[in-house]
Amino acid sequence: MAVATHQTALKGAPVTGLAFLIEAAKTRFIRHRIYRQTVNELSVLSNRELADLGLHRSMIRRVAMQAAEENTAL
């Protein structure tokens, strides 16, 4: 009979304590970076180009937030 003497963390397993804080900070950083990149890329487009995409300039921040959340979903 074999006895396990070593535990490994499983990907997707719940994290607690300091590991949770580090993962949350990394996720927020990545989410913010995606948000800023999306806002910057959409902001340089003309109103006509945005309209071709089905967007209005007032929608840029909302679309960027959705993109960031979708790309960092756990």
Side-chain angles (χ1 to χ4, degrees):
M1 179 162 100
V3 177
T5 58
H6 187 299
Q7 280 188 325
T8 58
L10 300 175
K11 184 171 178 83
V15 285
T16 59
L18 183 59
F20 175 77
L21 293 176
I22 292 170
E23 286 300 315
K26 283 175 25 178
T27 301
R28 283 193 310 271
F29 175 77
I30 292 167
R31 187 174 288 160
H32 181 71
R33 188 175 57 193
I34 293 169
Y35 171 80
R36 288 302 324 151
Q37 182 177 3
T38 306
V39 167
N40 291 340
E41 289 178 6
L42 291 175
S43 293
V44 298
L45 298 177
S46 69
N47 288 338
R48 171 67 182 202
E49 291 168 323
L50 287 171
D52 288 344
L53 295 173
L55 299 174
H56 186 270
R57 194 158 298 280
S58 64
M59 299 168 66
I60 291 175
R61 284 197 250 155
R62 181 171 48 94
V63 169
M65 185 61 70
Q66 288 174 343
E69 289 177 5
E70 289 172 4
N71 286 306
T72 56
L74 299 176

